Amino acid sequence: LSSEVKTVKLRPGVYSISASLTVANDNIGIIGSGPLATQILHSVTSDNALEFTAGSTLNYNVVKDIGFQATGTPTNVAINLSDCANATIENIYVTNFDDAVKFTTVTNSRINNLTTVAMRNFSIHLLSTSNGIAINGFDLDGDDSSSTRGVFANAAHGISFSGGSIKDSEWGMELQACEISFDGAIESTTLGCFLFPGTGGALTVLSGYYRNIGTTAVYNTTSTGQNNITVVYHNLITDATEPANV
């Protein structure tokens, strides 16, 4: 399989869409002229803006240098990948969607320089054995409402975050049966920074900063039957109370 990408170049401007744009082939790049210069305005609240799905694994797709904005009260995703490998999401700005980027069974892929504003659900959503995902450069902002998460991950392994920040969500990160390393900053203004509601997982905070000015501990377990949760801190700077044992 060749990794040579065929590029669809979007010139500067606002592109209004009223249905999903679907990519069902390998090696397709959708590249704008910068996230403030090239913007996709999505007016339908239920459809996702950009879909990568084919019923079998897609390889080597790229989305780069584009801004996404939803109108109304959305229940949708800006960039949705299902069963993909070797994907690149880079230099993306997302405003007012439910989710910004959602991966379902995605492997060996990366997100570089993702900025979100006023997300209503999850800025980054990782599901169903999404493995080997590197997120480098991120500024994830929620709308401070109930159930918002900067990152929600379930059964995701080998996930690394570096060089970014998460703020203005009910919980900074919710991790269910995951293996995550985090190097960045989290500030929670409502509940807390790390939430483990599942039956286990591992989080390594390599070096970073967290600040909880909400109502509970920095991370918390809200369900019974918690086990096999490992949290390791290295070079952590905090002005919050140390996390309780789980």
Side-chain angles (χ1 to χ4, degrees):
L1 176 67
S2 170
S3 60
E4 181 179 352
V5 173
K6 304 174 183 66
T7 299
V8 177
K9 181 68 175 179
L10 301 180
R11 297 179 181 275
V14 177
Y15 297 81
S16 295
I17 62 173
S18 58
S20 295
L21 303 176
T22 300
V23 176
N25 293 288
D26 297 326
N27 302 37
I28 301 297
I30 300 178
I31 300 177
S33 300
L36 299 181
T38 300
Q39 297 197 19
I40 293 177
L41 182 63
H42 191 36
S43 60
V44 178
T45 60
S46 58
D47 290 339
N48 299 325
L50 185 56
E51 292 266 10
F52 288 83
T53 183
S56 59
T57 302
L58 291 176
N59 280 276
Y60 298 108
N61 290 303
V62 177
V63 184
K64 184 177 180 181
D65 295 332
I66 300 174
F68 293 83
Q69 182 175 350
T71 61
T73 304
T75 58
N76 49 10
V77 181
I79 304 172
N80 187 53
L81 280 72
S82 180
D83 196 6
C84 295
N86 306 299
T88 299
I89 310 297
E90 184 170 321
N91 202 23
I92 299 297
Y93 189 101
V94 181
T95 305
N96 199 43
F97 277 81
D98 218 12
D99 293 359
V101 177
K102 184 176 180 179
F103 284 179
T104 304
T105 315
V106 174
T107 59
N108 301 324
S109 297
R110 62 184 185 269
I111 300 171
N112 298 328
N113 300 324
L114 172 66
T115 299
T116 68
V117 176
M119 290 298 99
R120 298 171 182 270
N121 197 34
F122 312 136
S123 288
I124 296 177
H125 195 172
L126 307 174
L127 291 174
S128 300
T129 60
S130 288
N131 299 323
I133 310 297
I135 298 98
N136 301 306
F138 53 95
D139 185 0
L140 310 181
D141 176 74
D143 69 356
D144 261 335
S145 62
S146 175
S147 301
T148 53
R149 309 286 189 263
V151 175
F152 177 92
N154 188 322
H157 305 280
I159 312 299
S160 65
F161 289 82
S162 66
S165 65
I166 300 173
K167 60 185 182 297
D168 295 334
S169 293
E170 185 182 55
W171 287 95
M173 302 179 78
E174 180 174 337
L175 309 175
Q176 301 181 15
C178 296
E179 294 170 359
I180 305 282
S181 67
F182 183 83
D183 183 349
I186 295 183
E187 180 173 294
S188 172
T189 56
T190 50
L191 291 185
C193 294
F194 303 114
L195 171 64
F196 297 92
T199 57
L203 168 71
T204 300
V205 180
L206 299 175
S207 61
Y209 171 86
Y210 68 81
R211 181 171 184 239
N212 180 51
I213 52 179
T215 59
T216 61
V218 171
Y219 69 85
N220 191 16
T221 56
T222 59
S223 301
T224 60
Q226 301 303 315
N227 56 69
N228 299 322
I229 294 175
T230 303
V231 182
V232 180
Y233 296 100
H234 300 283
N235 303 318
L236 185 68
I237 301 171
T238 175
D239 63 359
T241 304
E242 285 298 316
N245 291 328
V246 294

